Amino acid sequence: MSGPQSRRIDDALSSLVDAFIPGAPHEDDQEVDARRDDALDLAKSILDSSNAPPVIDDVNHASDLIKRKLIRVNSSPDKALRYSNLYSRLLTQPVLSQRWATLYLLYQLADSPDPSSVDAASLSSYAAGEHLSKAQTAAADRRSHGKTNASAARDDTDPMLSGAFSQQGLHRLPARHDTQDSHQGLYADQDQSADGAEGVPNASAPMSSIPENKPASHPSEAMLLRDLPFTLQGLSSTILAFQPTGSLKLPDTLPSPIISLLHALAEPSLLYRGLSAFVQTSDGDLVEQSLKAAIGDELRSYLGLVATLEGEIRRALAMLQDESGHIGLGKAGVTLKRCVIWTREATMGLRLLSMMVEESKSKKGGQLISLIHSFSSSHGDPFVGAFAERLLSHVTRPFYDMLRQWIYDGELQDPHHEFFVSEQDPTAVMENSAEDRIRGGATSVWEDKYNLAEDMVPSIITTDFAKKVFLIGKSLNFIRYGCGDSAWVEAYSKDASKELRYGDTDMLEASIDEAYKTTMARLMHLMSSKFHLFEHLTALKKYLLLGQGDFIALLMESLSSNLDRPANTLYRHSLTAQLEHAIRGSNAQYDAADVLRRLDARMLMQGHGEIGWDVFTLEYKIDAPIDVIVTPEGSRQYLKVFNFLWRIKRVEFALGSTWRRSMTGARGVLAAVGDRVGKDWKHARCAIAEMIHFVCQLQYYILFEVIESSWDALQLAISKPEATLDDLITAHATYLQAITHKGLLGGSARGGGSATGNKEDSFLAQLHGILKVMLAYKDAVDGLYSFSVAEFTRRQDFSARIERRTAEGKWGLTEADEEDLRSPSPATRKPHGDDSTIHAAASAAHANEDTLPPLRVRLQTLSSEFRQKVNTLLGDLAYQPDVDMRFLGVVMNFNDVYEPVRRRRAKDGRGTGKDRETERERDGKKTPGGT
């Protein structure tokens, strides 16, 4: 050998000898060194005297020997195939150069006797005082198939060295030649037992002739194997007994290697006991019961493995008895270590089951399925993934049964609340909130009857898939109970229902997609054809959103005389009669009878001092199942929009009437008194025209820019082929939201939400204030018109008196008449004879003089207030994020006649009183839309 290689071998041999030959307490250092040197010399002589085996140095030949042996020993070719794969991998490894030597060593080790038998025999030989001949025989037996001559190199070796080089080393410290007799007496008195001898150094020696060291190996491995099947089934035996606490009691006399093997075999035993107790319980939900059934199947497979193992153990023990101890357990084919290997996969399965049971205590339904699926989807071990998949095929059966009934029947069969769809208690739904208490009809059936519990959605399906399933079942349930079409649901369920199971993902997705399309198509057909949803939406737009212009104009004209009276003098039957008159006199008469039947006139709650205009409203009645889309809350929004538009129409009607009267009077009555009120009427007509322009622009914006554009978006959304009922509900809610927000009926006039929370910050409050000023200005103009008519009448009477006197030959105007006209208090002067008429005319003239100045002041004040409020509104519109609302401000102030004002935010968050200062944003020709 080369120098470095020789040194490495010497160092390895020295370490090996030091590990197997420890020193005794009663020996001195010289004795220990001498014993160590002898053992080291023996090892070197064995290595130096070894000859090459008389076989061909051919790696393929060695591989064929091993493969033929595997096929001969095992009935199944699995191990031979596995060996072929391993052999192919061995050939690809460039690091290993001695492949033939490695394979031949493994082939020779396969024919060696059981190592435990050799160790026990070696220890017994030391206890009996045997000499070198038996040690040489044992060594020769271990190398009998290799045909080596290494035993000749150990002819003069001490027997203690043979035992020192056994696999387990010395169980006790042997003495040297001069102390052997004393140690031999320690072992010579031990009893011999056939059960304790599991192997012999020489295969030809009978088992009964080998003494046993009971303290080191009692009970024997054969006895442990005999009781092992009971232990694996969780049953106590004579040697291995289960404690009341659930632990397994092991004998204290067993060596550490056997204890380690028994620990490995105790794990499946304890796991089986716990799982068996879990399976035997009768409580639990449906999915949990399916899990118990799946675990029961796995435990039965485990018991089948135990039964097979028990058969092998009995065969091996019977072989030992038949051969009278000529073979060991290794040759019989069954050892504790082999049992550990055979049960390794089953132990892993039981361990997984135990983990699942432990983690499933606080879970149920879809959560439990997700737990098991996590082992399949997020674990890298293929065995764990396949095991979890096998369990899921059983555990998911109740889930798929509930899923099938939900998507084909629209019924929820979930007594233990395991499905991701939950049904709400009707009484609890009505008590949830104030909003829920005012909801009813089909709205509650669709919105509140069922909920989607996202935490119960199993991970085997996606969230979008779960939402689609939820919508299918809810739609079928709504068709059955809300639309009264249970016959179609039953026929559909009978034709389309099919079994669903885990693993067939393509079939499941196809079934869900088909059910989704069929159900949605049927529901949309019912809503459009049977319940005329789109006709009702059109009717709401025509009558409540003032889309039917001729009907609204005729209704307002016929109701104007009644609505000018106090509210407490109105009667509903008179309002209903005027409504019928408006329907018959307009194009509304051609609408469907069902639509006209739902239209009704009613009065809101009356307040003190209110007139008919303040309490009148139209109502369009919506019933199930249309109220799923036009909800009660939606109906209230329609009513709010109608009342606002009706008030704008009322102001437009009133201003229009005043404008027509003033323009007609300008060519007659008003022209006659132009010298006194001509300038006032000029200002009044300009202000009225300004107000009419404001009302028309506001009305155009709401009716066309807001309502018509939102209506087009609604039509586009509900006409999609794939539209669902939820899509219709969402589209209609968006439609109403756009009308109320862009129609200046909601939100703050200061951009994003209201910081102050003041009602004065809303556009609706500002518009109501502007409309109120307009009506007040209209009343003031009516007062001016009355003054003008009175002045015209006075002048006409005065002129007629003068003409009559002139015809009688008298003076048309006497000095007394002139004095009465000039007198500041003509009422204090007493009339003279025929002068009574002139005196009355003079009194009326002075009364008119007292009325005109307050009228002028009021007209000027209201006009200024109108401009101020419009300036504030335009300033708020100029800073709105919506482009249409900014454009409204541009249209109203297209010629820069107004000066928009933006209100400052108060520092303390309050926008009332003096804190709400204003700043004028004047910039020459700058418009509010250009900011």
Side-chain angles (χ1 to χ4, degrees):
M1 298 182 185
S2 61
Q5 185 176 3
S6 177
R7 283 194 299 273
R8 287 199 300 271
I9 294 175
D10 291 341
D11 293 340
L13 288 177
S14 298
S15 300
L16 186 63
V17 170
D18 290 340
F20 280 93
I21 306 181
H26 59 276
E27 291 181 329
D28 54 10
D29 294 338
Q30 294 181 356
E31 293 177 350
V32 174
D33 292 340
R35 199 149 50 85
R36 178 182 176 280
D37 293 339
D38 293 340
L40 189 60
D41 293 339
L42 176 61
K44 290 182 178 180
S45 64
I46 293 174
L47 293 177
D48 294 338
S49 62
S50 299
N51 298 322
V55 293
I56 301 174
D57 188 359
D58 186 3
V59 64
N60 293 326
H61 177 67
S63 176
D64 293 338
L65 291 176
I66 295 176
K67 187 180 296 184
R68 283 197 296 268
K69 182 175 181 61
L70 290 175
I71 295 175
R72 183 174 64 254
V73 175
N74 300 282
S75 58
S76 175
D78 295 339
K79 292 188 177 181
L81 293 175
R82 185 179 180 186
Y83 166 76
S84 299
N85 294 331
L86 294 175
Y87 175 66
S88 301
R89 294 170 59 184
L90 177 64
L91 294 178
T92 60
Q93 298 295 325
V95 179
L96 301 177
S97 60
Q98 301 294 332
R99 297 187 182 91
W100 170 83
T102 302
L103 294 176
Y104 194 76
L105 174 62
L106 295 176
Y107 176 73
Q108 293 298 323
L109 289 177
D111 291 333
S112 62
D114 193 336
S116 60
S117 302
V118 176
D119 296 340
S122 301
L123 293 177
S124 300
S125 64
Y126 287 123
E130 295 181 354
H131 297 286
L132 183 60
S133 59
K134 288 191 176 182
Q136 293 173 342
T137 305
D141 182 73
R142 286 193 297 269
R143 295 188 298 273
S144 59
H145 295 281
K147 293 182 171 54
T148 63
N149 298 323
S151 60
R154 301 192 304 272
D155 291 339
D156 54 349
T157 306
D158 196 295
M160 72 183 69
L161 300 178
S162 178
F165 282 96
S166 64
Q167 271 192 323
Q168 297 181 353
L170 289 175
H171 287 259
R172 294 185 180 274
L173 297 175
R176 295 179 62 83
H177 291 288
D178 53 351
T179 60
Q180 184 177 357
D181 294 338
S182 60
H183 286 277
Q184 182 179 356
L186 178 64
Y187 294 96
D189 296 335
Q190 301 297 330
D191 296 333
Q192 299 178 0
S193 172
D195 293 335
E198 299 174 301
V200 291
N202 192 350
S204 60
M207 293 180 62
S208 59
S209 64
I210 305 300
E212 180 189 9
N213 185 5
K214 284 187 178 179
S217 60
H218 181 77
S220 64
E221 187 174 2
M223 297 175 62
L224 294 174
L225 287 173
R226 181 192 63 195
D227 293 347
L228 182 60
F230 300 98
T231 304
L232 293 177
Q233 297 180 65
L235 302 175
S236 297
S237 61
T238 305
I239 301 175
L240 304 175
F242 287 93
Q243 302 300 314
T245 58
S247 60
L248 182 62
K249 177 67 174 177
L250 300 179
D252 299 332
T253 58
L254 294 174
S256 297
I258 300 298
I259 292 293
S260 177
L261 294 176
L262 290 179
H263 281 167
L265 292 171
E267 182 182 3
S269 306
L270 297 175
L271 293 176
Y272 174 80
R273 284 172 61 92
L275 294 173
S276 179
F278 172 74
V279 169
Q280 291 175 2
T281 57
S282 59
D283 56 343
D285 304 331
L286 295 179
V287 177
E288 184 178 350
Q289 292 175 8
S290 294
L291 175 61
K292 292 178 181 179
I295 293 177
D297 293 340
E298 296 296 330
L299 293 182
R300 281 189 287 274
S301 300
Y302 169 75
L303 291 179
L305 173 64
V306 173
T308 304
L309 185 60
E310 182 180 7
E312 293 294 327
I313 291 174
R314 290 185 178 182
R315 182 187 60 79
L317 294 178
M319 186 181 298
L320 287 177
Q321 294 179 0
D322 294 341
E323 297 294 335
S324 301
H326 287 82
I327 63 172
L329 287 175
K331 279 293 184 180
V334 179
T335 61
L336 288 177
K337 191 168 185 178
R338 290 186 179 179
C339 291
V340 171
I341 295 174
W342 290 340
T343 58
R344 181 173 298 170
E345 186 174 335
T347 302
M348 185 179 295
L350 294 176
R351 190 182 303 143
L352 287 174
L353 291 176
S354 181
M355 292 174 57
M356 293 176 185
V357 170
E358 187 66 25
E359 295 182 13
S360 66
K361 291 182 179 179
S362 59
K363 294 179 174 59
K364 67 175 183 178
Q367 298 173 345
L368 183 55
I369 295 176
S370 299
L371 169 64
I372 301 175
H373 185 252
S374 64
F375 287 91
S376 172
S377 59
S378 61
H379 204 287
D381 192 344
F383 171 79
V384 177
F387 188 85
E389 289 288 325
R390 187 167 67 250
L391 281 181
L392 283 174
S393 62
H394 297 280
V395 175
T396 55
R397 287 179 182 174
F399 171 80
Y400 280 104
D401 288 341
M402 290 184 283
L403 178 63
R404 183 185 58 80
Q405 292 182 351
W406 176 251
I407 64 174
Y408 291 124
D409 297 330
E411 298 289 347
L412 183 60
Q413 300 294 334
D414 185 18
H416 301 287
H417 306 287
E418 300 173 281
F419 200 52
F420 58 83
V421 178
S422 59
E423 183 175 4
Q424 302 298 308
D425 185 4
T427 58
V429 170
M430 301 305 294
E431 296 175 358
N432 280 340
S433 63
E435 180 183 0
D436 290 334
R437 283 195 294 270
I438 59 177
R439 299 168 72 177
T443 307
S444 298
V445 174
W446 181 261
E447 296 289 345
D448 301 324
K449 185 175 182 180
Y450 296 105
N451 283 340
L452 177 62
E454 295 187 0
D455 59 329
M456 296 297 292
V457 177
S459 58
I460 59 177
I461 62 176
T462 62
T463 303
D464 294 337
F465 188 84
K467 291 180 180 179
K468 184 179 290 188
V469 169
F470 174 68
L471 186 58
I472 292 172
K474 189 168 66 169
S475 301
L476 286 174
N477 188 274
F478 182 72
I479 292 174
R480 182 191 295 269
Y481 297 105
C483 301
D485 197 6
S486 58
W488 181 87
V489 177
E490 293 176 358
Y492 165 74
S493 175
K494 184 177 179 181
D495 295 338
S497 181
K498 61 184 68 173
E499 183 181 1
L500 304 177
R501 60 183 181 272
Y502 177 76
D504 196 351
T505 307
D506 295 337
M507 191 272 288
L508 178 62
E509 292 182 353
S511 301
I512 295 299
D513 291 340
E514 181 182 357
Y516 181 81
K517 294 178 181 178
T518 305
T519 305
M520 293 303 107
R522 179 61 181 179
L523 181 57
M524 296 304 296
H525 172 74
L526 289 175
M527 298 300 289
S528 60
S529 301
K530 181 178 180 180
F531 300 105
H532 308 289
L533 169 65
F534 305 124
E535 287 81 351
H536 292 309
L537 293 177
T538 304
L540 286 169
K541 175 178 175 291
K542 290 169 61 176
Y543 298 116
L544 296 190
L545 302 183
L546 309 190
Q548 190 73 30
D550 58 343
F551 166 77
I552 296 299
L554 184 57
L555 178 65
M556 184 165 289
E557 184 178 354
S558 61
L559 284 176
S560 59
S561 59
N562 292 327
L563 297 182
D564 286 333
R565 295 184 300 175
N568 54 6
T569 62
L570 296 178
Y571 297 98
R572 187 173 180 180
H573 65 271
S574 61
L575 300 179
T576 305
Q578 296 299 330
L579 176 64
E580 292 292 337
H581 169 70
I583 292 174
R584 290 193 300 268
S586 64
N587 287 331
Q589 61 182 317
Y590 301 110
D591 285 341
D594 180 63
V595 171
L596 298 177
R597 178 181 56 83
R598 296 172 183 270
L599 191 62
D600 191 17
R602 66 185 184 93
M603 295 183 294
L604 301 175
M605 185 177 297
Q606 301 177 4
H608 180 70
E610 291 183 339
I611 62 176
W613 291 104
D614 300 324
V615 298
F616 173 79
T617 186
L618 283 182
E619 179 185 21
Y620 191 86
K621 298 177 182 178
I622 296 293
D623 52 13
I626 302 299
D627 59 355
V628 169
I629 298 175
V630 186
T631 62
E633 178 63 25
S635 298
R636 284 189 293 273
Q637 287 183 312
Y638 274 113
L639 181 61
K640 182 179 180 180
V641 175
F642 171 79
N643 290 334
F644 177 64
L645 294 176
W646 181 256
R647 188 165 189 176
I648 294 176
K649 276 291 184 181
R650 174 205 174 183
V651 173
E652 181 192 28
F653 180 78
L655 291 177
S657 300
T658 302
W659 174 262
R660 287 192 299 270
R661 187 166 56 178
S662 65
M663 295 304 294
T664 303
R667 297 188 294 270
V669 176
L670 301 182
V673 294
D675 56 331
R676 295 201 58 184
V677 294
K679 189 175 181 180
D680 297 327
W681 274 108
K682 181 179 179 181
H683 290 298
R685 280 192 289 267
C686 290
I688 291 176
E690 187 177 337
M691 293 179 182
I692 291 176
H693 169 74
F694 177 86
V695 171
C696 290
Q697 293 300 326
L698 178 63
Q699 188 173 217
Y700 163 81
Y701 167 75
I702 296 177
L703 292 180
F704 293 95
E705 297 294 339
V706 176
I707 294 180
E708 286 297 333
S709 61
S710 301
W711 175 257
D712 292 340
L714 175 64
Q715 291 290 97
L716 182 63
I718 64 180
S719 60
K720 292 181 179 179
E722 68 276 8
T724 65
L725 189 58
D726 276 337
D727 294 336
L728 296 186
I729 296 173
T730 303
H732 185 259
T734 305
Y735 168 67
L736 290 180
Q737 176 66 21
I739 291 176
T740 54
H741 175 69
K742 295 177 64 175
L744 310 179
L745 298 179
S748 170
R750 299 188 180 184
S754 176
T756 64
N758 243 324
K759 291 184 177 179
E760 297 182 9
D761 289 335
S762 66
F763 284 114
L764 184 61
Q766 293 188 55
L767 290 175
H768 278 312
I770 294 174
L771 296 178
K772 187 176 180 180
V773 172
M774 290 181 180
L775 291 176
Y777 193 86
K778 177 258 182 189
D779 293 337
V781 171
D782 288 343
L784 180 62
Y785 187 84
S786 299
F787 171 82
S788 299
V789 171
E791 178 67 17
F792 175 78
T793 303
R794 185 186 68 82
R795 291 186 179 187
Q796 288 293 103
D797 292 342
F798 196 75
S799 298
R801 174 63 61 184
I802 292 175
E803 291 178 359
R804 185 176 60 81
R805 285 184 177 181
T806 302
E808 292 177 353
K810 300 179 180 180
W811 292 102
L813 186 65
T814 64
E815 294 181 356
D817 296 335
E818 292 179 353
E819 184 179 355
D820 289 338
L821 292 175
R822 292 193 300 268
S823 175
S825 302
T828 60
R829 298 181 61 87
K830 185 177 179 180
H832 303 281
D834 294 337
D835 296 340
S836 58
T837 302
I838 301 297
H839 176 75
S843 300
H846 283 284
N848 286 341
E849 289 291 338
D850 295 337
T851 304
L852 185 59
L855 275 175
R856 289 173 174 172
V857 172
R858 181 165 177 77
L859 288 172
Q860 181 65 30
T861 302
L862 291 175
S863 177
S864 300
E865 184 179 358
F866 170 75
R867 278 179 168 268
Q868 180 183 358
K869 290 182 177 294
V870 172
N871 288 335
T872 303
L873 176 65
L874 294 179
D876 292 335
L877 287 174
Y879 292 93
Q880 290 300 309
D882 188 83
V883 64
D884 292 333
M885 298 177 71
R886 296 199 303 269
F887 183 72
L888 173 63
V890 175
V891 171
M892 288 183 174
N893 194 26
F894 69 96
N895 56 356
D896 292 337
V897 68
Y898 298 107
E899 298 177 349
V901 175
R902 189 183 183 191
R903 293 177 295 175
R904 249 181 228 168
R905 288 185 182 272
K907 294 182 179 179
D908 58 352
R910 298 180 181 177
T912 59
K914 296 181 180 180
D915 292 335
R916 284 173 43 184
E917 300 177 359
T918 60
E919 60 177 352
R920 298 188 176 273
E921 297 181 352
R922 305 176 183 178
D923 190 13
K925 302 298 182 180
K926 192 175 184 180
T927 65
T931 56

